[in-house]
Amino acid sequence: MELFAYLVPYGLEWLNLLVRWLHVITGIAWIGASFYFVWLDNSIRPPAPGSELAKKGVSGELWAVHGGGFYNPQKYLVAPAELPKELHWFKWEAYSTWLSGIALLTIAYYFNAQAMMIDKSVADITSLQAVGIGVGTLVVGWTVYDLLCRSPLGKHDFWFGVVIFALIVAAAYGLTHVLSGRAAYIHVGALIGTIMVGNVLMLIIPGQRKMVEAMSAGRMPDPVHGQKAKQRSVHNNYFTLPVLFIMISNHYAMTYRHEYSWLVLALIMAAGVFIRHFFNLRHKGRVEWRYPVIGLALLAAVAVAIAPSSPAAVAAAPAVDPQAAAKQFAQVKTIIDQRCVSCHAAQPKQAGFAAAPAGIMLENEAEIRQNAEKIYKQTVQLKAMPLANLTQMTDAERAQVAAWYEAGAK
């Protein structure tokens, strides 16, 4: 029974690893295809009037060289005169990314909601409530987005973008007030990813099928399907940099553990949108340096605003009475035993952990002293640990850790 209790979290850890790897691979394929086709769409040039290409209905083409070969992609205004025998569909990249992402969300967060999603200092909710909030966010988010796309607002690209960005920021604000910071960020990313795959599944691919069906029946396809698909494809393109940041955000507690984490996320997402816009314009031949400058300025402003206060220099710490130092360390060790060792041990007792996070163990004096700086950074400066404050470390206990470290960690 004891072996089974150990092997279950270990098996989940391997499942987490493999699904995460799959998610990264499929995500690269999907976003790579998105970047390529937006680049292609913005880079093609119209053929000369009256040329053979223009007569065939080609709206644009370009020549490219890659991997030792020459390529000549062409885009038709609506469709070619005849349906080709082989037609490649770009859909499984999107589906696989979303499915692996949801699987990863389930394994890493939903199966261990108590540790990964709930921070009782934020909201005292149950695991079922936390999972319900997460899933509900994805369903409601896609529904609202899709309805707005189909509304008159959807015809005005700029204002539509402003409204959608504001709604995503509102979702981030709400989530950071009911879930742990890390879980809130991940669910904003899952919301954006769900909107992106919803665009592919519910509109882009069905529209393309209708065009192919019309050609198979000998009819001219309705261009409105291509126009709608293009609109959603552009939306997905602007979502890419924000969602990529969120995918890696769990490594940077300085963002999701901040008091105004929702605003930090909003500014970083906005920076990603400005930077993406620069590249989209550049592909059309317009170089607008103001956009990356704005993006970098936003990132710099965030970096300055959330910077932790400088720690006291350990080397310059005043001499401490040996008895007082021993007493101080004993207090800190008691705190670490109560709040940290359930995870940071050779055999963690906390459910969902097969090994100590980051390989850091804090079971004895030597291990604690060896990791003093990391303990200070994670528990005092960033307040990232304990994870989701699962063991309820108090501000007074964090202050004790800070006093110990700043006194020389003796």
Side-chain angles (χ1 to χ4, degrees):
M1 188 67 182
E2 193 172 315
L3 179 62
F4 178 78
Y6 172 74
L7 289 178
V8 168
Y10 180 69
L12 285 175
E13 191 79 358
W14 264 100
L15 187 60
N16 187 321
L17 184 156
L18 295 174
V19 174
R20 189 179 299 273
W21 194 7
L22 173 64
H23 185 56
V24 170
I25 292 168
T26 55
I28 290 171
W30 183 17
I31 292 177
S34 170
F35 279 7
Y36 173 74
F37 277 102
V38 169
W39 170 83
L40 184 62
D41 216 37
N42 289 334
S43 300
I44 57 175
R45 300 293 179 262
S51 66
E52 287 300 316
L53 289 179
K55 292 176 183 178
K56 287 167 55 180
V58 172
S59 64
E61 69 161 345
L62 65 76
W63 282 89
V65 60
H66 179 74
F70 291 89
Y71 297 81
N72 180 214
Q74 301 171 352
K75 180 180 179 179
Y76 286 79
L77 191 61
V78 178
E82 295 182 9
L83 187 66
K85 292 181 179 180
E86 292 186 12
L87 190 61
H88 185 79
W89 295 73
F90 288 86
K91 56 183 179 178
W92 287 109
E93 299 89 345
Y95 300 162
S96 300
T97 299
W98 188 82
L99 289 171
S100 60
I102 291 298
L104 187 59
L105 186 66
T106 302
I107 295 165
Y109 285 84
Y110 296 165
F111 281 175
N112 198 17
Q114 195 64 36
M116 300 297 292
M117 297 184 69
I118 299 171
D119 184 343
K120 293 189 182 297
S121 66
V122 174
D124 190 1
I125 58 178
T126 65
S127 295
L128 187 60
Q129 288 172 326
V131 173
I133 290 168
V135 174
T137 298
L138 308 188
V139 174
V140 173
W142 159 254
T143 303
V144 171
Y145 164 83
D146 188 53
L147 290 175
L148 287 175
C149 274
R150 299 173 189 273
S151 75
L153 180 65
K155 298 177 182 178
H156 305 279
D157 292 338
F158 175 78
W159 290 112
F160 176 83
V162 170
V163 170
I164 290 300
F165 182 79
L167 289 175
I168 290 174
V169 172
Y173 176 85
L175 288 169
T176 56
H177 284 75
V178 289
L179 302 178
S180 69
R182 187 172 177 176
Y185 269 36
I186 288 297
H187 278 85
V188 174
L191 165 60
I192 296 173
T194 298
I195 290 172
M196 292 172 71
V197 80
N199 282 337
V200 176
L201 177 66
M202 306 298 289
L203 191 127
I204 295 174
I205 294 300
Q208 291 174 174
R209 289 192 186 283
K210 290 176 182 178
M211 296 177 73
V212 170
E213 288 168 3
M215 291 189 67
S216 299
R219 303 190 309 271
M220 176 62 71
D222 188 342
V224 72
H225 298 304
Q227 294 164 4
K228 289 180 178 179
K230 174 66 185 303
Q231 180 193 44
R232 300 292 183 105
S233 180
V234 170
H235 291 177
N236 281 2
N237 182 258
Y238 280 99
F239 283 140
T240 52
L241 294 191
V243 82
L244 282 172
F245 162 72
I246 295 171
M247 283 177 67
I248 64 171
S249 66
N250 62 352
H251 295 287
Y252 303 99
M254 60 188 177
T255 59
Y256 65 76
R257 286 293 300 177
H258 193 270
E259 181 182 1
Y260 296 103
S261 57
W262 63 273
L263 182 57
V264 171
L265 179 58
L267 293 175
I268 294 176
M269 289 193 299
V273 170
F274 279 113
I275 292 170
R276 187 66 234 162
H277 189 55
F278 165 76
F279 284 101
N280 288 342
L281 291 178
R282 186 172 179 274
H283 300 153
K284 293 180 179 179
R286 292 172 53 192
V287 179
E288 300 274 358
W289 287 108
R290 55 181 170 162
Y291 293 114
V293 168
I294 292 171
L296 292 174
L298 287 173
L299 294 175
V302 171
V304 171
I306 69 175
S309 56
S310 301
V314 176
V320 179
D321 176 76
Q323 283 189 323
K327 182 179 179 181
Q328 187 179 48
F329 176 79
Q331 292 172 336
V332 168
K333 187 176 186 306
T334 298
I335 293 170
I336 291 173
D337 287 344
Q338 293 176 343
R339 311 302 186 191
C340 308
V341 173
S342 58
C343 294
H344 289 280
Q347 294 185 349
K349 295 180 180 178
Q350 176 60 47
F353 292 88
I360 296 173
M361 290 176 281
L362 305 172
E363 296 180 280
N364 55 53
E365 180 178 345
E367 291 171 345
I368 292 171
R369 293 191 186 282
Q370 180 183 351
N371 293 287
E373 185 176 352
K374 293 176 182 177
I375 293 170
Y376 176 80
K377 179 180 179 181
Q378 295 296 326
T379 62
V380 178
Q381 287 188 308
L382 300 177
K383 293 186 177 180
M385 293 293 166
L387 188 63
N389 204 18
L390 181 65
T391 54
Q392 300 296 293
M393 179 180 279
T394 66
D395 288 340
E397 289 170 337
R398 295 182 195 277
Q400 282 184 284
V401 172
W404 166 70
Y405 178 79
E406 292 169 4
K410 297 181 179 179

